[in-house]
Amino acid sequence: MDALQNILDSASSFIWGPWLLLPLLVGTGLFLSLRLGLIQLRLFTKAMSIQFGRRAKQPGLKGEISAFQAMSTALGATVGTGNIVGVALSISIGGPGALFWMWVTAILGMASKYAECFLGVRFRHYDKMGELTGGPQSYLQRGIPNKFGKFLATMFAVCCVFACFGIGNMTQSNAISANLDHSFGISPVTTAIFLTVLTAAALLGGIKIVSKVASICVPLMILLYLGFGSYILILNAGQIPEVLGMILRGAFTGEGAAGGAVGAGFLIAMQIGAQRSLFSNESGMGTASIPAAVAATSHPVRQGLASMTQTFVDTIIVISMTGFVILTTGTWTGGDPATMTSLAFATGLPGAWGGYIVAFCLVLLGYSTVLGWSYYGERALESLGGGRRAITGYRLAFAVMCGVGAIAPLTIVFTFSDLMNGLMALPNLIGLLLLSGLVARETKKYLTHDPNFEATVDTIDGFMYGLPGGLDAQIDHQVDLSQKNPELEHPDTTSLKVITEKMLEEHTATAEAAPVYDVTLTNVQTGSIPLQTGSLPIIQQAKPSFGTPTDPRASKP
């Protein structure tokens, strides 16, 4: 076991070292923030309104789940162990200053989250099984239509399949098991059996069941967790200024980090903060774009902004609450990171029931993370060519590994998760940089037409008609990404041609000199179909009848 731990530590240290993923993660977030005009700050209030306020209500949206359910699924896959156990582990290794770097990474990561969820909707499609899908495994290949794009998409999908057994499976079950044992004396073996059975049963429902469970459990648990955490901070309000000083000093001096010298402590604080931030909010990892791709929305910009708020809720609110509770109660200087947050709540709240609250929240939030990540792995496996049998086998393996994680050593589980997270983030971050021009260009175009986000679905369809990024052009076809040269096909297997702006201009110029016919389209199954201005319907088995042609030039003066 020690040999395996040493191998994982070496690989993780290289991936997360100061010359590879760490600068790429922060640099990509900074680059996208500047290229998008600090969109996470400039449009923050509007993004909150689109996700939680009056701008969230738009009739006629296209998608399979609501934007709130997409956010709950993504939050359910992020708010869990990373926010409770991960913060404790981060502070115990990197000191209080690690919390500062978690904030910095999260703020920059909001731009990355916007870009990846924008692209998730922009390149979403129906898979070969007829299900709406999207994510890095789609937009890396379709947005970068060459061998390098194919390589990035494949690398992401492979790493995602393996990573889901770490960050979204064993780490969650391990933390659930440790806290149930600590708070209620429930044997880890018993927890492992129950988690295996419950996970296998839940995975049969698919994304709609997962999203419904998440939309109920996640908001309830977050409010409960924040409510009791706020009570502890009110009781310890006098210590908050001192804690803020510890965080700021530790961020640049490494004070409290397990690194010895100041320089080493500073690097450890930054590295562990960035690691745990990515582990928690997944900004830049690309996974949040998978549920975002099936959300009911009217445009990629709107869903990108809505999804961007996940990082704010996850890190700036929930992680900050955990960190301040641990630091103000003084429980960060020793103890097991797996139960440190539980101990902090038990210390801060009267009686011993504080630990029970953390255990209860961790069980439900951790379990929702398991369900959310199972869906991520399925989508990645499908893009690699996995059919229904492969996905069924994956679900069973996922449930079994959930039980294994409940009894595995915590350190190995977290190190494996960090390694897989880093390997999965690499191709996505490279893809975000390469596709940043497309994101910036189409974001600017949308904001030109709808700067206040007041447009209706019909209005958006009107000004996006025929332009790249229009939802009708992106959602109404099938793509089998497992093929060498995937082709766009309509779900009924008839060919669909995606219309570009240049093609529309050429068509308009040609049509001005063409004869005009009175056309009646009679469908074998549905009868007459009215031809509406501004629409290009796809009609099967239609029998057009043409009237007498007239020359449009004859009516011109």
Side-chain angles (χ1 to χ4, degrees):
M1 195 65 72
D2 290 340
L4 177 60
Q5 181 67 56
N6 291 334
I7 294 173
L8 292 176
D9 283 338
S10 299
S12 181
S13 297
F14 172 75
I15 294 294
W16 282 98
W19 309 112
L20 187 56
L21 188 59
L22 188 60
L24 182 61
L25 178 66
V26 177
T28 300
L30 179 60
F31 176 78
L32 289 172
S33 297
L34 295 176
R35 186 153 197 179
L36 294 170
L38 296 178
I39 193 170
Q40 68 268 51
L41 303 178
R42 182 166 50 95
L43 297 178
F44 176 75
T45 56
K46 290 184 174 64
M48 296 295 283
S49 178
I50 292 172
Q51 183 63 271
F52 303 106
R54 62 181 181 84
R55 290 182 173 90
K57 300 177 181 179
Q58 277 189 309
L61 297 176
K62 306 176 182 71
E64 294 188 351
I65 61 177
S66 69
F68 182 75
Q69 287 178 326
M71 178 185 179
S72 296
T73 302
L75 274 177
T78 56
V79 178
T81 300
N83 303 79
I84 298 175
V85 178
V87 178
L89 185 64
S90 178
I91 293 175
S92 66
I93 297 176
L99 192 59
F100 174 83
W101 292 111
M102 294 180 82
W103 293 337
V104 172
T105 307
I107 292 173
L108 295 178
M110 289 176 70
S112 301
K113 181 68 71 74
Y114 168 82
E116 61 195 18
C117 291
F118 174 99
L119 292 170
V121 176
R122 174 67 170 78
F123 291 101
R124 67 183 180 178
H125 58 274
Y126 287 99
D127 62 22
K128 59 184 180 182
M129 293 186 289
E131 296 180 356
L132 189 61
T133 187
Q137 72 278 10
S138 299
Y139 63 70
L140 291 175
Q141 181 171 349
R142 299 185 57 217
I144 310 172
N146 53 37
K147 291 183 178 179
F148 186 60
K150 172 69 172 177
F151 167 76
L152 293 176
T154 302
M155 179 179 176
F156 173 87
V158 171
C159 291
C160 182
V161 170
F162 284 100
C164 68
F165 289 100
I167 180 177
N169 188 313
M170 292 192 293
T171 54
Q172 310 302 324
S173 59
N174 189 284
I176 291 172
S177 173
N179 277 269
L180 288 179
D181 186 20
H182 178 264
S183 299
F184 304 104
I186 299 176
S187 168
V189 175
T190 303
T191 302
I193 294 173
F194 271 95
L195 283 176
T196 301
V197 174
L198 290 176
T199 302
L203 294 185
L204 298 177
I207 181 59
K208 293 184 178 180
I209 297 298
V210 169
S211 65
K212 287 180 180 178
V213 173
S215 65
I216 296 173
C217 291
V218 173
L220 177 63
M221 290 302 99
I222 290 178
L223 291 176
L224 180 65
Y225 186 77
L226 293 178
F228 285 103
S230 299
Y231 177 75
I232 294 175
L233 294 185
I234 292 173
L235 294 180
N236 298 282
Q239 300 183 42
I240 292 179
E242 181 183 352
V243 167
L244 284 172
M246 292 168 55
I247 293 171
L248 294 177
R249 287 194 306 272
F252 300 99
T253 65
E255 179 181 316
V262 172
F266 163 71
L267 288 176
I268 289 175
M270 178 184 286
Q271 181 177 346
I272 196 68
Q275 279 181 339
R276 298 271 68 80
S277 181
L278 178 62
F279 179 90
S280 178
N281 60 54
E282 300 174 15
S283 296
M285 196 182 298
T287 48
S289 65
I290 298 177
V294 300
T297 186
S298 55
H299 193 273
V301 168
R302 295 180 64 93
Q303 186 57 42
L305 289 173
S307 297
M308 185 178 71
T309 62
Q310 298 165 11
T311 300
F312 178 81
V313 173
D314 178 275
T315 304
I316 306 302
I317 295 180
V318 181
I319 277 183
S320 297
M321 180 64 67
T322 303
F324 273 87
V325 168
I326 291 173
L327 293 172
T328 56
T329 56
T331 57
W332 68 280
T333 55
D336 183 3
T339 56
M340 186 182 294
T341 305
S342 179
L343 178 61
F345 272 75
T347 303
L349 293 173
W353 51 282
Y356 302 151
I357 293 172
V358 174
F360 179 65
C361 291
L362 185 60
V363 168
L364 291 184
L365 290 174
Y367 186 64
S368 65
T369 301
V370 170
L371 297 183
W373 267 88
S374 68
Y375 177 70
Y376 296 170
E378 284 186 21
R379 297 293 86 197
L381 184 62
E382 185 276 331
S383 71
L384 294 171
R388 295 191 182 276
R389 289 186 178 180
I391 289 177
T392 300
Y394 159 82
R395 289 174 176 175
L396 293 175
F398 192 87
V400 171
M401 293 306 295
C402 189
V404 172
I407 56 178
L410 175 66
T411 306
I412 287 182
V413 170
F414 264 91
T415 306
F416 173 77
S417 297
D418 285 337
L419 178 60
M420 289 296 103
N421 293 351
L423 290 174
M424 185 167 57
L426 276 174
N428 185 63
L429 291 170
I430 294 171
L432 291 182
L433 291 173
L434 294 176
L435 294 171
S436 60
L438 181 148
V439 176
R441 184 170 58 252
E442 295 193 4
T443 297
K444 182 179 179 180
K445 182 178 295 184
Y446 178 86
L447 294 177
T448 300
H449 292 282
D450 187 22
N452 296 316
F453 299 92
E454 303 287 352
T456 63
V457 174
D458 291 338
T459 303
I460 294 172
D461 285 344
F463 67 69
M464 288 302 301
Y465 172 70
L467 300 179
L471 274 186
D472 286 333
Q474 300 304 322
I475 198 174
D476 199 23
H477 58 260
Q478 281 182 324
V479 180
D480 184 358
L481 292 177
S482 63
Q483 300 300 314
K484 183 177 180 180
N485 296 307
E487 297 179 355
L488 306 186
E489 293 182 347
H490 191 264
D492 58 18
T493 70
T494 61
S495 176
L496 173 66
K497 195 173 187 178
V498 180
I499 299 174
T500 64
E501 192 170 1
K502 182 178 179 181
M503 292 167 57
L504 191 65
E505 292 175 355
E506 294 175 350
H507 171 77
T508 303
T510 304
E512 288 182 354
V516 177
Y517 293 88
D518 294 326
V519 182
T520 301
L521 295 174
T522 304
N523 188 278
V524 173
Q525 298 176 348
T526 61
S528 297
I529 300 176
L531 185 62
Q532 299 177 355
T533 303
S535 64
L536 294 176
I538 298 175
I539 304 170
Q540 284 187 302
Q541 300 176 335
K543 295 181 178 180
S545 58
F546 297 90
T548 304
T550 59
D551 189 342
R553 292 169 292 186
S555 60
K556 296 182 180 180

